[in-house]
Amino acid sequence: MNYFPDEVLEHVFDFVASHRDRNAVSLVCRLWHRVERLSRQRVFVGNCYALSPEILIARFPGLKSLTLKGKPHFADFNLVPHDWGGYVQPWIEALSNSRIGLEELRLKRMVVSDESLELLSRSLANFKSLVLVSCEGFTTVGLAAIAANCRFLRELDLQENEIDDHSGHWLSCFPDSCTSLISLNFACLKGEINLAALERLVARSPNLRSLRLNRAVPLETLQNILMRAPQLVDLGTGSYIHDPDSETYNKLKHTILKCKSIRNLSGFLEVAPRCLPAIYPICLNLTSLNLSYAAGIHGSELVKLIRRCAKLQRLWILDCIGDKGLEVVASTCKELQELRVFPSDVLGVGHAAVTENGLVAISAGCPKLHSLLYFCQQMTNAALIVVAKNCPNFIRFRLCILEPTKPDPVTMQPLDDGFGAIVQSCKHLRRLSLSGLLTDRVFLYIGMYAEQLEMLSVAFAGDSDKGMLYVLNGCKKLRKLEIRDCPYGDKALLTDVGKYETMRSLWMSSCEVTLGGCKTLAKEMPRLNVEIINEHDQMEIGSEEQRVEKMYLYRTLVGPRKDAPEFVWTL
Amino acid sequence: MQGVGGVVSGGGGSITSGVSMSTVSKDDNLVLSSEDSSSCLEESELELGLGLSLGGGSCKAQQGSRGGQYARFLTAKDFPYVGSSSSASSASSSSSSSSLSRANVSSGTKRSADSVAAANGTSQVVGWPPVRAYRMNSMVSQTKLPVTEVFNSLIGKNRNTNTTVGKETNNSCDKSNVNAKVKGHSRSSLFVKVNMDGTPIGRKVDLNSHSCYGTLTQKLEDMFQTSSTMMNSIRSSGEEHDMMVEATRPSRLLDGSSEFVLTYEDKEGDWMLVGDVPWGMFISSVRRLRIMRTSEANGLAPRSEETNGQRTKPI
């Protein structure tokens, strides 16, 4: 192989697509490393602080697509203070100063400013695709810059971001010459939209395949849009409310009949259930349905809808569907692969919710299920054991029993055996989230059986340091471990410090680790950043025995970050 | 759990009565602490000191809770003898956003966290259930309630118990199930500026993401909660008043300094005390908010039995 010209190697490497495989390829020998890096176009950086933009740019001069993740996962649940970090600005500055012709940028949990968006739009001439997930810090002014300046923009996908909405005029900033849009998702915008501009934009975008509207787009506009874009594959409705006896609604019914390509349906941020029949004709084609923001659809309307969706592979719903509704899913959606059931009543007043029965029904009816996120009132060991037997193919299993440390309500036992059955049966399990009452034993099982486990989320669980140690010792492929409110202390933290260099990151909050323990770890492992988050100035510099409220450590090539705020100490 | 005077819960240096009594006479500016908002005419213990939670807010099991400084802003509800408005009933009871889980401190500095925590009255464990903040916020904003609903008192939880997903508690500000029919019109945001005396940098708050005074004041309390920026500006204002600057306890700094009052500028340019009128009326006339030192709020904070129609000098 060493005697092939570089071009041949490059051609072979073209077929190696996944990041991991390409990373592996680059480790074989120097020649392969060089050929690989010069030909690499897509790079995924799971932790933006693990390296610097300069290192990235130097290694991959042909970079076209970059994915960056910033804040730790628990930032989603408000455990990480605002201003912690995760700024994209240095990356955009570095890219704009380089000769890299970046075309795609995908960010998750990062802080993005209007200045960053403006700089991006002005300096990257070939920029085509911007995907922002759970980001914050920007406004519609930044979006206007993207719309106005990115002449070849194909994709603008905003998912669940916190965006300050100053006006709906950013849509008008797409020039008339912009006809390249393939995907536009602004469902998370809270403000008004220039409807006429939206319609004109859709009319001049013949390649548009994916369109997700926000709440401000009424049904009349949806009708007009679908008339012009019957080729849509992915549709997110805005406000879906009208008088079912009206002319507009009638027109919509006819228009939808022409939209034979729609496979993904979402939205219904506001909905009049009596208007749902208009979408019945397309239900049979749907492979993905997201009703998790559609609080207005429930009860029999919801069930009627689901009964028509026999080809669903992915379903996201609210728990108001109830166990009975899940039984309908189980009997209808035989192709189901991914299910997410979100809590509709996080304020805890316990209305319709789902229990272990719904999950058992799903597992029995949907043998292809491999990804699960399930918020429920309760769970039993018996149910989990049945689920494990029915569905040995789980890759992601995330169970959240709403009440922390709740035991099996039938036996009053911890859920160790139930989760143990899951990890034992599901040999390809990569991601696991635990909840309910759990002792050290569940971690013994996880360490023993979860050989492919890469990400583990633990809360209010375990009895002693042993729990954490079982996991660290047993799960060889562990990359991300996040723990909150567990009794793990310095002994668990320090027993195998080398392990952390094989992982992306470790988060521990409200545990028993002390400042002294963290300092020891930082000293022994210089290639880790051990960060303590010291909100409200609780910690004093001197005393080693005080508990650390929040610790986040990660491996890095570039040492302590320079943009850490005052309340973050890198030890 | 009996509320004990909206008190600064700042760890350690919690304000106690007595110290700052001299600045305000007992008859004036009673800082009410009742959890049951309808009893705002009751007398209760006088607790002064920086801002303390409005009504039932922080009055639960805060003992020993670390950090979690809460500023409480006086609103019309606190001046009962000038006519408590029904809208004031919405003011209390939104629980403190502090977590009562094992030694967990509210991290409500994140903006989205503020509104979530504020609205999420019953859950007393920060970050639980683990639902993305964006989703929580959008669920909350889908469940608007009429302002006049009566609140049930919160059941305080001992912070050492971990089973605190407040199923038993009812914060009726957000009580309605999300399953309720959603209104037929889209809601845009209504961002207004908020400035606090002594803090040079202002904030903005989306009034349309709240449905009652309770969640709004909670959010403002969280926004202007102690942060290093805030502490610096508080320190500097403390120095102005020739006080000892202490390293870590802003509550001590503010001990003895003036309390704060929440006011707003209406369409006519007048500065009014927040809380007198029904929420909807407030929303339609508010232009911006100001968290004003009581000492400056002459005429807004009644020192005698004047009606609340009195206006301050224009600012």
Side-chain angles (χ1 to χ4, degrees), chain B:
Chain B
M1 159 106 209
Q2 213 32 39
V4 175
V7 186
V8 169
S9 58
S14 52
I15 299 301
T16 52
S17 52
V19 177
S20 30
M21 284 253 235
S22 54
T23 59
V24 179
S25 90
K26 248 189 190 157
D27 292 334
D28 308 327
N29 299 334
L30 280 177
V31 169
L32 294 177
S33 66
S34 63
E35 293 181 16
D36 179 358
S37 55
S38 57
S39 67
C40 53
L41 285 172
E42 287 171 6
E43 285 189 349
S44 66
E45 295 176 32
L46 177 61
E47 296 280 2
L48 297 180
L50 187 1
L52 307 284
S53 125
L54 188 63
S58 68
C59 41
K60 337 50 5 187
Q62 293 277 350
Q63 53 268 37
S65 89
R66 302 203 250 132
Q69 161 94 4
Y70 288 104
R72 176 189 164 196
F73 311 118
L74 305 180
T75 67
K77 184 192 161 304
D78 303 304
F79 308 117
Y81 38 81
V82 290
S84 54
S85 63
S86 59
S87 63
S89 66
S90 64
S92 74
S93 114
S94 59
S95 76
S96 78
S97 57
S98 82
S99 152
L100 298 182
S101 70
R102 276 166 50 163
N104 204 348
V105 188
S106 163
S107 66
T109 47
K110 186 168 176 207
R111 277 172 56 198
S112 55
D114 297 339
S115 52
V116 172
N120 196 0
T122 57
S123 168
Q124 297 184 336
V125 181
V126 167
W128 193 267
V131 175
R132 203 174 260 177
Y134 173 87
R135 186 177 285 279
M136 289 274 230
N137 289 345
S138 79
M139 282 195 294
V140 164
S141 64
Q142 278 184 337
T143 62
K144 300 295 188 191
L145 276 205
V147 166
T148 48
E149 272 216 19
V150 175
F151 290 89
N152 303 321
S153 48
L154 284 164
I155 301 169
K157 294 270 190 188
N158 184 316
R159 69 190 252 263
N160 287 325
T161 58
N162 289 332
T163 56
T164 51
V165 174
K167 285 204 318 219
E168 313 88 286
T169 63
N170 269 317
N171 182 339
S172 51
C173 183
D174 301 291
K175 183 177 161 190
S176 90
N177 28 6
V178 175
N179 298 336
K181 294 272 190 311
V182 177
K183 290 206 195 121
H185 58 272
S186 53
R187 216 177 244 282
S188 52
S189 19
L190 177 61
F191 280 96
V192 297
K193 292 187 189 174
V194 190
N195 283 287
M196 176 164 171
D197 288 357
T199 305
I201 308 287
R203 300 291 303 268
K204 272 196 160 180
V205 64
D206 177 7
L207 292 179
N208 272 343
S209 69
H210 300 276
S211 58
C212 60
Y213 290 112
T215 61
L216 173 64
T217 49
Q218 191 67 56
K219 166 135 193 178
L220 293 177
E221 289 163 21
D222 292 342
M223 270 184 170
F224 289 91
Q225 192 171 313
T226 309
S227 63
S228 45
T229 335
M230 163 106 155
M231 278 177 56
N232 288 336
S233 63
I234 288 173
R235 276 206 195 97
S236 57
S237 62
E239 279 158 6
E240 271 173 49
H241 294 205
D242 201 22
M243 294 167 72
M244 291 282 290
V245 175
E246 297 208 33
T248 54
R249 298 287 175 236
S251 56
R252 291 202 195 115
L253 268 177
L254 295 157
D255 211 2
S257 75
S258 38
E259 301 156 290
F260 288 81
V261 188
L262 182 59
T263 64
Y264 71 103
E265 183 183 20
D266 69 7
K267 282 190 178 142
E268 292 161 20
D270 298 314
W271 285 90
M272 313 292 289
L273 195 62
V274 165
D276 285 330
V277 299
W279 177 258
M281 202 187 290
F282 167 67
I283 287 281
S284 60
S285 56
V286 62
R287 281 218 305 236
R288 54 186 167 133
L289 297 168
R290 177 175 160 191
I291 302 165
M292 194 184 290
R293 292 211 181 90
T294 310
S295 54
E296 290 189 18
N298 314 324
L300 276 187
R303 309 249 166 205
S304 61
E305 275 155 275
E306 292 161 342
T307 65
N308 197 40
Q310 188 135 111
R311 303 208 167 147
T312 56
K313 308 182 179 59
I315 304 218

Side-chain angles (χ1 to χ4, degrees), chain A residues 160-172:
Chain A
E160 302 195 335
N161 303 288
E162 294 289 347
I163 307 176
D164 265 355
D165 201 324
H166 292 168
S167 80
H169 100 284
W170 63 276
L171 259 185
S172 321

